[in-house]
Amino acid sequence: QKEVEQDPGPLSVPEGAIVSLNCTYSNSAFQYFMWYRQYSRKGPELLMYTYSSGNKEDGRFTAQVDKSSKYISLFIRDSQPSDSATYLCAMTFSDTGTASKLTFGTGTRLQVTL
Amino acid sequence: DADVTQTPRNRITKTGKRIMLECSQTKGHDRMYWYRQDPGLGLRLIYYSFDVKDINKGEISDGYSVSRQAQAKFSLSLESAIPNQTALYFCATSDPTQGANYGYTFGSGTRLTVV
């Protein structure tokens, strides 16, 4: 079993839809959770970051962490064609130090259609 | 110029050849990483370096070696390339003083094909 599971998709939605992307994980020691966005032929870029449980909102994006269920989500409101990309979740035990290496999900490919 | 630059962007090489992928960064970060990305497997860590004198194996280091020539330069070598090393390779940097909050900065990747 992988430490971090993520549905690969592809997920296709119409423009303006609300998108829900999810990851589950097995190691309860993870404390820091991130979402990266990766456009085709580009490297991943950090989109959202949360610590421990709770919600965080940034514009059209909301990240949720439920540590009791070992489940994290990224919601995209009013989705746009420019949101079409692969979204990777990532997590780590520690903010700094040798334990700060990230463990990534496999990524979900999202396509927002006109 | 990009913060993290990888060369070459694309490379086709033959089985058994030695190949080097190069990474340079202008972020001033001490920590550098090499990942490979495969469909269905995501990003997997090959090697990482927390400073010039500190190099560590990641989860899939067999068949690879690295060199940290300077704070800004971290090279990945495939000593004798084999077809299952065909993948997209990413270099990344991070700053421990800023913690995970600032995440990693990735290069644009090297698409390597071993035939």
Side-chain angles (χ1 to χ4, degrees), chain A residues 94-108:
Chain A
S94 167
D95 199 38
T96 59
T98 57
S100 64
K101 302 188 306 298
L102 297 182
T103 300
F104 286 87
T106 53
T108 298

Side-chain angles (χ1 to χ4, degrees), chain B residues 17-101:
Chain B
K17 291 290 188 182
R18 185 178 189 274
I19 182 170
M20 178 182 288
L21 310 183
E22 299 188 339
C23 176
S24 63
Q25 52 114 347
T26 58
K27 301 281 288 183
H29 291 171
D30 285 329
R31 297 185 175 186
M32 298 187 74
Y33 310 81
W34 275 105
Y35 282 88
R36 65 177 279 176
Q37 188 174 38
D38 300 273
L41 297 176
L43 284 161
R44 292 182 292 166
L45 183 62
I46 306 172
Y47 270 95
Y48 62 101
S49 171
F50 280 1
D51 65 42
V52 175
K53 295 180 180 180
D54 177 65
I55 293 179
N56 305 280
K57 292 182 178 180
E59 57 184 299
I60 53 162
S61 59
D62 287 348
Y64 301 95
S65 63
V66 291
S67 172
R68 186 81 184 265
Q69 299 96 327
Q71 187 206 36
K73 294 183 182 295
F74 192 35
S75 300
L76 176 73
S77 293
L78 285 67
E79 299 302 325
S80 179
I82 56 176
N84 77 359
Q85 291 177 313
T86 293
L88 189 53
Y89 290 83
F90 286 104
C91 174
T93 73
S94 71
D95 180 354
T97 65
Q98 296 184 349
N101 189 35

